[in-house]
Amino acid sequence: MIESVNPDLHDALHTLGLRVTEPRLAVFEAVQSHPHADTETILDATRAALPSVSHQAVYDGLRTLAEAGLVRRIQPAGSLARYEVRVGDNHHHLVCQVCGRVEDIDCVVGEAPCLTPNDDHGFVVQQAEVTFWGTCADCAPDADRAADAGRTATDDRTTSAD
Ligand SMILES: [Zn+2]
Ligand SMILES: [Zn+2]
């Protein structure tokens, strides 16, 4: 049943010489419908679609799909590994430092690696990965309040020093 939903994936697995298994298809669908989700979320989504699947089959499926290049694994500093099916375009990510929300940023320069180091030390550079850290719109009001609180505390210290 899942096979008919995603004939492209079926073909892609075949082309790569990988067996087309229900867990692999279900894992891919879970990643596709939950962009930038962590492993736990993918696990839940896969099990919702395919209740009989084991944890190990989901982990194996994620690893196989990532190694095959059908799924991209990203891991912003201090964050859990996250997965997406948007592969091959070397796009970057915007990460909210408050809630961990992740958004795609199209590369604004061009083809991968799309950024050129001023000294490549003889490396052949294939990829550049940029993470823009910030505060998302939902979290920004909280950040403003925190900044206000910080200013108040500084004022208090100044007052007591006098
Ligand atoms: Zn946020
Ligand atoms: Zn992305």
Side-chain angles (χ1 to χ4, degrees):
M1 197 172 70
I2 299 173
E3 283 91 330
S4 63
V5 175
N6 212 324
D8 289 347
L9 174 63
H10 202 279
D11 289 349
L13 287 168
H14 250 301
T15 306
L16 292 163
L18 295 168
R19 269 188 312 126
V20 180
T21 65
E22 272 213 304
R24 284 174 183 170
L25 296 170
V27 166
F28 185 87
E29 302 252 317
V31 176
Q32 192 168 38
S33 50
H34 299 78
H36 310 125
D38 60 20
T39 309
E40 206 60 35
T41 305
I42 301 301
L43 185 61
D44 290 346
T46 306
R47 289 171 77 88
L50 192 67
S52 63
V53 76
S54 69
H55 284 226
Q56 197 55 49
V58 174
Y59 297 140
D60 289 350
L62 268 178
R63 202 185 54 233
T64 302
L65 292 170
E67 283 172 2
L70 298 172
V71 160
R72 181 177 172 193
R73 180 184 191 276
I74 59 163
Q75 187 157 20
S79 165
L80 296 166
R82 292 158 179 274
Y83 299 89
E84 63 186 340
V85 297
R86 185 176 162 180
V87 297
D89 67 352
N90 196 225
H91 71 271
H92 304 308
H93 292 99
L94 191 60
V95 181
C96 176
Q97 287 175 301
V98 181
C99 69
R101 176 177 155 194
V102 180
E103 294 292 341
D104 287 339
I105 298 289
D106 291 334
C107 178
V108 291
V109 182
E111 297 292 303
C114 79
L115 289 171
T116 314
N118 57 11
D119 180 358
D120 63 16
H121 296 273
F123 283 43
V124 177
V125 179
Q126 276 112 12
Q127 191 186 328
E129 197 174 301
V130 176
T131 304
F132 298 90
W133 295 94
T135 311
C136 76
D138 288 343
C139 295
D142 289 341
D144 283 348
R145 272 200 295 281
D148 286 346
R151 268 198 296 278
T152 306
T154 308
D155 292 347
D156 287 349
R157 264 201 306 280
T158 310
T159 309
S160 59
D162 290 341

